[in-house]
Amino acid sequence: MTKTETSHLVADVFNTDFNHNLNYSTLGREILNTAEQHAEKRDFGLTQIRKSNQSWVLSRLTIEMNRMPHVFETYSIDTWIENIYRMFTNRNFCIKVSNSTDDSDPEVVGYARSVWALIDNDSRQPLDLTSLYGETFEKWLYPENPCPIDGHSRIRPLSSYSSEVKYAIRYNDIDCNGHVNSVKYLEHICNLFNLEFYKKHRLKRIELAYVAESYFGDTLHFFMTEIEPLRYQIEIAKSSTADETPTTVVRSFVTFA
Amino acid sequence: MTKTETSHLVADVFNTDFNHNLNYSTLGREILNTAEQHAEKRDFGLTQIRKSNQSWVLSRLTIEMNRMPHVFETYSIDTWIENIYRMFTNRNFCIKVSNSTDDSDPEVVGYARSVWALIDNDSRQPLDLTSLYGETFEKWLYPENPCPIDGHSRIRPLSSYSSEVKYAIRYNDIDCNGHVNSVKYLEHICNLFNLEFYKKHRLKRIELAYVAESYFGDTLHFFMTEIEPLRYQIEIAKSSTADETPTTVVRSFVTFA
């Protein structure tokens, strides 16, 4: 088995946006699915870690695309582990579009970076990855494989904002872990911009820092400000009653080109 | 080439709901993608009909499931054309879960029925399918293949309703045709019910009758009434201003078990 796992996909008609480009929520979902498949085949996927009452928790996700796969294009997602540390592990991704039927000369269209922690399901506390999975991971580490996009930015709490959008969490937002699906935050962030904006600008890079979980019954608040031209900081906070002060769930930067 | 086309899929972690079952929006999207793949390989898919300035328009979609694929289960979707008429064609689907690695004894978990019309992109008027595609379709017709679920119900306009939910159409609702994705209506209908309800009841059958298209900038109104125990009629209407009387876009029945 190789250090990288690859998903082979097609930008289906019903996963593309009005510009005939694959949408970010589908790409994000397939990125996480590829990560899970990599882990599953190497004995640290959900099936295995559930037996130890553990879960993987996504802490950071950054996706940067030079272009999105167009409708009907076949594309692939490679994933590999960059490194393992005591409290987290880095996993990277490379997204390629196939330009020929034998896939001999694929075009790299983007990369992604992610950071994961392993938690105990009862205490919800992070576990020591090196001692638990250090040996298991050793043969899969692939730090020399290039991931040429910038690392995750430090995202400070938002001090002021120019707009607030509220959204009541719905059934489809909740995934099999019982909380809001990591990719749904990405989808809701994409939805903060209107069609006219997307006709002029392309979403080039999105960075998500997952701070806390949110649940059915919560209302999400999307506080947004343009920190420099075409670069936005978005802080998602949750509240469970109308009176409650919202607390931060996700911090994000999005950059358009 | 056979009369049926089959997609092979996996109920990925990030496409399943809090009950660890594949969600209806993913299933709906894969049903439509399978339809498109069937058509594409047989020379009446989007790539081909676009050259004649034509589009397929989904008129009816009914999905009935005995159970949903669970997380990590592999499943398949078969599709075939039941018949062709002057103004529309019927396409059916069978959804199976693989219970063995060689897929020798799959379990049929549900079926779907759909009705499609072909329109001219400029006039937006339906075209005569028999004269345009009668010969092309002839060898693919498979009316003898069983689709044992009930046909599409007649859905009359809703005369009264017990609840109304409003939703402003967002970027991710719009597909590559520039209007709200057929599957997004299904997703929004699923979202009308809360998590407590889904803990007690399983969505068994959903029927959608597509009446008109809606666009970015429109607000959707979901008018709902329980017509008999666990059977709901939902009418989706759109308005482009706050004063405008909403006009019907989709009529639907959903039945829980």
Side-chain angles (χ1 to χ4, degrees):
Chain A
M1 203 177 292
T2 57
K3 293 184 177 185
T4 57
E5 180 72 25
T6 304
S7 293
H8 296 277
L9 301 148
V10 178
D12 285 313
V13 177
F14 296 97
N15 290 322
T16 52
D17 73 359
F18 75 103
N19 274 328
H20 298 200
N21 293 324
L22 183 70
N23 61 47
Y24 260 87
S25 50
T26 301
L27 178 65
R29 205 163 51 230
E30 296 300 352
I31 280 175
L32 299 191
N33 280 327
T34 306
E36 163 56 18
Q37 285 155 27
H38 178 279
E40 197 72 28
K41 289 188 186 168
R42 287 160 188 79
D43 288 334
F44 44 91
L46 283 187
T47 309
Q48 294 90 342
I49 63 168
R50 268 184 190 155
K51 293 175 191 161
S52 312
N53 197 34
Q54 297 163 352
S55 298
W56 287 113
V57 174
L58 181 60
S59 165
R60 295 295 309 255
L61 178 65
T62 296
I63 307 174
E64 184 170 327
M65 301 297 289
N66 284 326
R67 75 165 178 94
M68 271 292 186
H70 303 306
V71 64
F72 295 129
E73 281 188 329
T74 58
Y75 67 103
S76 63
I77 302 174
D78 292 339
T79 185
W80 66 96
I81 303 174
E82 183 179 303
N83 232 322
I84 180 174
Y85 300 92
R86 203 167 67 85
M87 302 308 258
F88 65 91
T89 176
N90 289 335
R91 175 188 284 287
N92 298 334
F93 304 84
C94 176
I95 300 100
K96 297 172 189 160
V97 166
S98 305
N99 285 320
S100 58
T101 47
D102 65 352
D103 202 17
S104 56
D105 186 23
E107 173 192 358
V108 173
V109 292
Y111 289 93
R113 293 178 174 276
S114 64
V115 176
W116 302 76
L118 187 77
I119 62 161
D120 178 89
N121 288 344
D122 294 327
S123 72
R124 309 300 287 171
Q125 291 301 305
L127 298 166
D128 185 333
L129 266 174
T130 327
S131 67
L132 281 168
Y133 288 95
E135 281 185 41
T136 316
F137 272 41
E138 193 60 44
K139 62 175 171 293
W140 307 121
L141 300 184
Y142 199 9
E144 65 275 22
N145 202 31
C147 186
I149 61 169
D150 288 345
H152 311 284
S153 307
R154 181 168 173 197
I155 314 182
R156 292 192 174 79
L158 195 62
S159 51
S160 66
Y161 57 90
S162 54
S163 70
E164 177 185 357
V165 170
K166 289 184 196 174
Y167 174 85
I169 291 171
R170 307 186 303 167
Y171 158 72
N172 257 294
D173 294 310
I174 307 297
D175 69 13
C176 66
N177 295 313
H179 50 65
V180 171
N181 186 326
S182 310
V183 176
K184 281 287 176 177
Y185 296 112
L186 189 162
E187 181 175 324
H188 294 316
I189 286 173
C190 290
N191 279 333
L192 296 173
F193 302 88
N194 65 34
L195 223 57
E196 287 307 308
F197 187 83
Y198 280 106
K199 283 177 187 166
K200 291 187 218 128
H201 307 294
R202 186 179 70 78
L203 178 50
K204 184 176 170 58
R205 180 176 163 105
I206 182 160
E207 302 187 59
L208 297 151
Y210 297 96
V211 177
E213 289 164 1
S214 62
Y215 304 92
F216 192 89
D218 290 341
T219 293
L220 296 180
H221 306 250
F222 294 79
F223 302 105
M224 181 160 75
T225 190
E226 189 173 4
I227 49 175
E228 51 186 84
L230 295 179
R231 182 166 160 85
Y232 297 82
Q233 183 172 348
I234 295 150
E235 189 155 315
I236 310 177
K238 67 173 175 183
S239 61
S240 55
T241 63
D243 302 335
E244 193 181 47
T245 305
T247 56
T248 303
V249 179
V250 174
R251 295 195 178 102
S252 174
F253 284 131
V254 294
T255 311
F256 288 86
Chain B
M1 202 176 294
T2 57
K3 293 184 176 185
T4 57
E5 180 72 25
T6 304
S7 293
H8 297 278
L9 301 148
V10 178
D12 285 313
V13 177
F14 296 95
N15 290 322
T16 52
D17 73 0
F18 74 103
N19 274 328
H20 298 201
N21 293 324
L22 183 70
N23 60 47
Y24 260 86
S25 50
T26 301
L27 178 65
R29 205 166 49 230
E30 296 300 353
I31 280 174
L32 298 191
N33 280 327
T34 307
E36 163 56 17
Q37 284 155 28
H38 178 278
E40 196 74 28
K41 289 189 186 168
R42 287 158 188 81
D43 288 333
F44 44 90
L46 283 188
T47 310
Q48 294 90 342
I49 63 168
R50 269 183 189 154
K51 293 175 191 159
S52 313
N53 198 33
Q54 296 164 352
S55 298
W56 286 113
V57 174
L58 182 60
S59 165
R60 295 295 309 254
L61 178 65
T62 295
I63 307 174
E64 185 170 327
M65 300 297 290
N66 285 326
R67 75 164 177 96
M68 270 293 186
H70 302 307
V71 65
F72 295 128
E73 282 188 330
T74 58
Y75 67 103
S76 63
I77 302 175
D78 292 339
T79 186
W80 65 95
I81 302 174
E82 182 178 305
N83 232 323
I84 179 175
Y85 300 92
R86 203 168 67 85
M87 303 308 258
F88 64 93
T89 176
N90 288 335
R91 175 187 284 287
N92 297 334
F93 305 84
C94 176
I95 301 100
K96 297 172 191 162
V97 166
S98 305
N99 285 321
S100 58
T101 46
D102 65 351
D103 202 17
S104 57
D105 187 23
E107 173 191 359
V108 173
V109 292
Y111 289 92
R113 293 178 174 276
S114 64
V115 176
W116 302 76
L118 187 77
I119 61 161
D120 177 90
N121 289 342
D122 293 327
S123 71
R124 311 299 289 172
Q125 291 302 307
L127 299 165
D128 185 333
L129 266 174
T130 327
S131 66
L132 282 169
Y133 289 94
E135 281 184 41
T136 317
F137 272 41
E138 193 60 44
K139 63 175 169 292
W140 307 121
L141 299 184
Y142 199 10
E144 64 275 23
N145 202 32
C147 186
I149 61 169
D150 288 345
H152 310 284
S153 308
R154 182 170 173 194
I155 314 182
R156 292 193 175 77
L158 195 63
S159 51
S160 65
Y161 57 90
S162 54
S163 70
E164 177 186 357
V165 170
K166 288 184 198 176
Y167 174 85
I169 291 170
R170 307 186 303 166
Y171 158 72
N172 256 294
D173 294 310
I174 307 298
D175 69 13
C176 66
N177 295 314
H179 49 66
V180 170
N181 187 326
S182 310
V183 176
K184 281 287 176 176
Y185 296 112
L186 189 162
E187 181 174 325
H188 294 316
I189 286 173
C190 290
N191 279 334
L192 296 174
F193 302 89
N194 66 33
L195 223 57
E196 287 307 309
F197 187 84
Y198 280 106
K199 283 177 186 166
K200 289 186 219 130
H201 307 294
R202 185 179 71 77
L203 179 49
K204 183 175 171 57
R205 180 176 164 103
I206 182 159
E207 301 188 61
L208 298 149
Y210 298 95
V211 178
E213 290 163 1
S214 63
Y215 303 93
F216 193 89
D218 290 342
T219 293
L220 296 180
H221 305 249
F222 294 78
F223 301 105
M224 181 160 75
T225 191
E226 189 173 5
I227 50 175
E228 52 186 84
L230 295 179
R231 182 166 160 85
Y232 297 83
Q233 183 172 350
I234 295 149
E235 188 155 317
I236 311 176
K238 67 174 175 183
S239 60
S240 54
T241 63
D243 303 334
E244 194 181 47
T245 305
T247 56
T248 303
V249 179
V250 174
R251 295 196 178 101
S252 175
F253 284 131
V254 294
T255 311
F256 289 85

